[in-house]
Amino acid sequence: MDAKPRTSPKSVKFLFGGLAGMGATVFVQPLDLVKNRMQLSGEGAKTREYKTSFHALTSILRAEGLRGIYTGLSAGLLRQATYTTTRLGIYTVLFERLTGADGTPPGFLLKALIGMTAGATGAFVGTPAEVALIRMTADGRLPPDQRRGYKNVFNALIRITREEGVPTLWRGCIPTMARAVVVNAAQLASYSQSKQFLLDSGYFSDNILCHFCASMISGLVTTAASMPVDIAKTRIQNMRMIDGKPEYKNGLDVLVKVVRYEGFFSLWKGFTPYYARLGPHTVLTFIFLEQMNKAYKRLFLSG
């Protein structure tokens, strides 16, 4: 009898990762919009448009309506279809490849390295959708005559290419990849490590409760580690040219200006919606992914 394959087809793993991320995005897109608006509020000054996450959410609802909080959903879905498909697919395949013949999982440092590799690759692939998402979610805070008015993500990508050139689709690629390295090293490795710790404790079995607890721990670690890089990414991708010159030179310039004009802790501006988004998104993504992997193994690898 032929031995069962230890690794399911890579194409299926990539597809599962993207579908899991897209499913999660449908639920957390409003939080992503609030996070982006808060990171852009008070840009260049110490006064902020929004005092709290709740204030931001109510202000957006009042000004733009219920549909307004789902602005950029098409870009969020495309980001997951590109970025998350690539990063979770690569991570899952590498994780299984590097698992010992006796089932021993890779060590923590190797998990982190796998996560960083998967994240950087996924970020490069997903940067155009990321640029569209940032611009679409930021549009509502601008005066009507300054809005870009993209109809959907494909309209945004076509117009950016036509009006600003193809390289603009990868604007902020370096901080996007840097953020992805931090996020994936923290999120994927801390999720795997937390899950392993919970299982080893003897109080948890490999079920949705275990996945939920591991995901919440992972989301908290990831939020604290990645926010400064995320605000740099957000502002670079949303910036305009002023007298032929960009508002920011690079990610480091963003961080320096934020600290100088808005205060050190402004690097963590939008912490609450960021975690409120990242926590549930991490939970939903990994729960969807775990359930799809189990279904795949049951349907195709059993017997």
Side-chain angles (χ1 to χ4, degrees):
M1 182 182 294
D2 294 331
K4 294 179 185 178
R6 286 177 53 217
T7 306
S8 51
K10 293 181 182 180
S11 59
V12 175
K13 291 294 186 183
F14 275 51
L15 179 62
F16 281 4
L19 289 175
M22 291 172 77
T25 294
V26 172
F27 293 94
V28 302
Q29 177 66 22
L31 296 170
D32 206 19
L33 181 136
V34 171
K35 184 269 294 183
N36 289 340
R37 294 283 181 92
M38 291 189 73
Q39 287 185 330
L40 293 168
S41 72
E43 193 170 8
K46 292 187 179 179
T47 55
R48 301 182 181 183
E49 295 172 50
Y50 309 116
K51 298 175 183 177
T52 63
S53 306
F54 182 73
H55 178 225
L57 182 60
T58 54
S59 298
I60 294 167
L61 281 171
R62 191 180 306 115
E64 302 169 48
L66 192 59
R67 288 186 62 185
I69 63 172
Y70 269 93
T71 299
L73 178 60
S74 61
L77 293 173
L78 182 62
R79 177 179 65 174
Q80 297 303 323
T82 51
Y83 167 63
T84 303
T85 297
T86 304
R87 77 179 181 99
L88 283 181
I90 290 176
Y91 182 84
T92 304
V93 170
L94 290 178
F95 187 89
E96 291 187 358
R97 292 290 187 188
L98 295 172
T99 296
D102 59 351
T104 305
F108 182 80
L109 291 178
L110 189 53
K111 288 176 187 173
L113 181 60
I114 293 170
M116 288 187 285
T117 302
T121 307
F124 180 81
V125 174
T127 295
E130 189 86 42
V131 172
L133 176 65
I134 295 300
R135 292 185 173 196
M136 290 176 76
T137 54
D139 223 25
R141 63 185 286 272
L142 298 172
D145 61 322
Q146 294 181 23
R147 293 177 186 173
R148 294 179 169 105
Y150 300 135
K151 297 177 182 178
N152 53 58
V153 65
F154 300 109
N155 176 250
L157 296 177
I158 291 169
R159 282 186 50 195
I160 291 169
T161 301
R162 185 167 57 235
E163 296 168 12
E164 302 172 59
V166 173
T168 305
L169 294 174
W170 274 269
R171 176 178 288 172
C173 183
I174 292 176
T176 301
M177 292 175 72
R179 172 191 174 275
V181 167
V182 174
V183 165
N184 284 277
Q187 185 185 66
L188 294 171
S190 62
Y191 174 80
S192 297
Q193 199 73 10
S194 300
K195 180 183 171 185
Q196 193 174 320
F197 173 79
L198 293 173
L199 291 174
D200 290 345
S201 71
Y203 294 104
F204 291 85
S205 57
D206 192 359
N207 55 26
I208 289 182
L209 177 61
C210 177
H211 305 159
F212 175 82
C213 293
S215 297
M216 290 305 293
I217 296 169
S218 175
L220 185 61
V221 172
T222 305
T223 299
S226 64
M227 279 216 72
V229 189
D230 189 69
I231 195 170
K233 175 196 72 66
T234 298
R235 293 199 175 182
I236 284 179
Q237 291 176 334
N238 188 61
M239 72 179 179
R240 293 178 180 271
M241 304 295 286
I242 300 176
D243 296 327
K245 296 181 180 179
E247 292 179 64
Y248 303 105
K249 297 175 183 176
N250 49 49
L252 181 60
D253 186 42
V254 175
L255 298 180
V256 170
K257 287 181 177 177
V258 169
V259 172
R260 180 184 301 161
Y261 298 116
E262 302 170 52
F264 177 74
F265 289 104
S266 289
L267 293 175
W268 284 269
K269 184 185 290 184
F271 184 94
T272 302
Y274 190 100
Y275 179 64
R277 171 202 172 275
L278 190 63
H281 194 276
T282 304
V283 170
L284 291 166
T285 297
F286 281 115
I287 285 176
F288 288 154
L289 184 61
E290 294 274 9
Q291 298 308 307
M292 284 189 282
N293 280 336
K294 284 186 176 182
Y296 178 83
K297 289 175 183 176
R298 185 176 66 254
L299 292 173
F300 299 104
L301 301 182
S302 61

